[in-house]
Amino acid sequence: METLFMAITLLLDWQVVLAILIGSLGGVIIGAIPGVGPAVAIAILLPVTFSLEPLVGLTLLLGIYGSSMYGGAIPAILINVPGTAANALTTYDGYALTKQGRAPRALVLAYSASFFGGVVSIICLMLLSSVLVVVAPQFGAREIMLAALLGMLLVVIAHRGKTLLALLMLGLGVFLNNVGFESIRYTHQFTFGQTWLASGFDLIVVILGLFALSQAFLLLTARKVGRGDDAQNPVSSPSLVVGSAREHFRAFFRHRRVASVSAGFGVLMGMIPGVGEFTAQFLGYTYAQRTSKTPDQFGKGAEEGLVASETANNAVPAAALIPLLALGIPGEALTAMMLSVFYVHGVVPGPQLFEGKLDFILALYIVLLLLNVLVLVFLMVSTRWLVRVIDLPPKVIGICILVLSFVGVYALRNSVVDCLIAAGFGIFGCVLKQLNWPIVPIILGMVLGGILEVKSRAALARIDGIADLVSRPVSLFFMVAIVLVLVVHFVGIYRRRG
């Protein structure tokens, strides 16, 4: 009870309250603008959060992360363009419902499913917290080293059909992390005599370049998104989600089985580093289709498909915090960005966080619940106006992102060189997106590669052979998991070729 009171005290700070409002409402608007997405917004805001308290900064970023998926359903359903990558499957049945004149029902079903998935994920996270408190102290250097190795392996395997490309990008991320001054032997690595490389590649500069600037370049050269001849014009409908909302909510509860299973997939996939929302959506959507009485309707306006997709993707964000908070291992690019907020303030995620700052953890859980409630209420009263952001010209959005990104990069270290590096990575990211090559492994390679290097140095000095490496239960678990993942992956390749 005392811990709960301390957590509530943390939440009463006006800065936290303001961060909840800005993060949740701003995330919805960002998600509703096609082509922007949470990665761009978080990359731009990241330098700002360094001057804020950890809870304030994380609340702002988590608000944008989770609520952008709510907003991303709006263009996915109304104009067949996902607001974020996580809403890709929503277009399959959401847009089909719009063409049938059932846009209000589709939107409310999406909001309800998103809220359900988010709340289930948070509840699972809260229930697991007691387990994490017991398990977390058992993680030493060797366990975190193996966890990072497993995370890197899962990042590569998660990109089915592009595993070699993902491995290449992951290796590039590990290489970038090693460029610059090396503090152990006081030497320069891979600088090739260039003094501007002595400080290495800052993670935030790379993130802003690969995600924000690359997207700005694409938007500046893109054509305006059209609705299509057969699409319903949502802006002209003044009562878009008014009147029969209660009936639509009841319709969602008729699909509670699909929603529950999809939420489970979201939680599970969120906990596994490198997997993310799309895999959770795919599993939930596949389950819904295989168990449906009308599987032929999927892709043509099946409510079950829409519910499965939106429930699964919104169940991921809270679950993705489990490896981040317990082990300090980010599961994806967005949680890697959040990890930097911890480090800037000297707060190290991992076992010690649960031992000494349980009130901070509990406050974070409460913030996540409040964000979901606030976003649902906001969407139910504002959708009729919110849909108008879909009409913003891509070039206007691109210019805004470009300016904000360069301001953010320069503010880090007042360095023009950082701006040039970010621009270089922006062009590189633009090329990768045009080629449809994976970008996320680069960021995770920089983060997980650094963790792997530091922890392996600490662990290998105390380990006497392979038997000693797996002599503890947690390290044995991770080693078995690594072997199983490799076996399953190569068996799958063999069967597909056979």
Side-chain angles (χ1 to χ4, degrees), residues 242-427:
V242 179
S244 56
R246 185 178 299 177
E247 176 189 342
H248 300 328
F249 276 123
R250 281 200 292 264
F252 166 76
F253 283 106
R254 286 199 289 270
H255 304 301
R256 56 186 177 272
R257 174 184 57 83
V258 169
S260 300
V261 175
S262 298
F265 282 131
V267 171
L268 182 61
M269 294 301 104
M271 292 173 60
I272 301 175
V275 179
E277 294 89 355
F278 188 79
T279 305
Q281 283 184 75
F282 178 79
L283 292 173
Y285 193 88
T286 303
Y287 168 80
Q289 186 175 24
R290 288 183 177 178
T291 59
S292 173
K293 296 179 181 178
T294 56
D296 56 311
Q297 291 300 309
F298 278 69
K300 302 176 182 177
E303 293 182 358
E304 295 165 285
L306 177 62
V307 168
S309 172
E310 285 298 301
T311 304
N313 65 23
N314 276 270
V316 171
L321 292 176
I322 295 175
L324 178 71
L325 296 176
L327 307 175
I329 303 293
E332 55 185 356
L334 297 181
T335 48
M337 297 181 198
M338 294 177 197
L339 182 62
S340 62
V341 178
F342 281 99
Y343 286 159
V344 164
H345 293 281
V347 179
V348 181
Q352 63 275 15
L353 190 63
F354 284 88
E355 292 175 356
K357 294 194 175 183
L358 197 56
D359 56 333
F360 175 84
I361 297 294
L362 187 56
L364 211 55
Y365 297 159
I366 298 173
V367 162
L368 289 169
L369 285 171
L370 291 174
L371 287 169
N372 279 273
V373 173
L374 185 60
V375 169
L376 181 64
V377 174
F378 174 66
L379 282 169
M380 294 306 298
V381 300
S382 66
T383 298
R384 68 182 73 177
W385 299 288
L386 193 59
V387 293
R388 296 182 185 274
V389 302
I390 294 170
D391 287 332
L392 286 174
K395 286 183 173 57
V396 172
I397 300 171
I399 290 171
C400 292
I401 294 173
L402 200 67
V403 172
L404 292 172
S405 297
F406 277 122
V407 169
V409 170
Y410 187 78
L412 285 173
R413 296 185 290 194
N414 297 328
S415 171
V416 176
V417 172
D418 282 347
C419 292
L420 295 174
I421 292 173
F425 277 105
I427 295 171

Side-chain angles (χ1 to χ4, degrees), residues 126-206:
M126 295 173 71
L127 292 176
L128 284 170
S129 62
S130 58
V131 177
L132 293 176
V133 171
V134 176
V135 175
Q138 300 182 31
F139 281 82
R142 70 183 72 183
E143 286 79 13
I144 296 178
M145 176 189 72
L146 292 173
L149 186 60
L150 177 61
M152 296 172 75
L153 181 62
L154 290 171
V155 168
V156 174
I157 292 177
H159 292 78
R160 286 196 172 187
K162 298 180 180 179
T163 51
L164 291 179
L165 289 175
L167 180 61
L168 178 65
M169 295 297 105
L170 184 77
L172 176 60
V174 174
F175 170 76
L176 293 174
N177 183 69
N178 282 278
V179 173
F181 184 73
E182 193 267 318
S183 59
I184 302 297
R185 292 183 296 271
Y186 300 101
T187 59
H188 289 85
Q189 297 182 142
F190 308 113
T191 58
F192 306 105
Q194 301 295 316
T195 56
W196 61 275
L197 284 174
S199 58
F201 294 106
D202 187 88
L203 177 64
I204 309 306
V205 173
V206 176

Side-chain angles (χ1 to χ4, degrees), residues 487-498:
V487 169
V488 170
H489 177 64
F490 285 112
V491 168
I493 293 175
Y494 176 77
R495 287 178 176 176
R496 285 194 295 272
R497 291 184 176 178

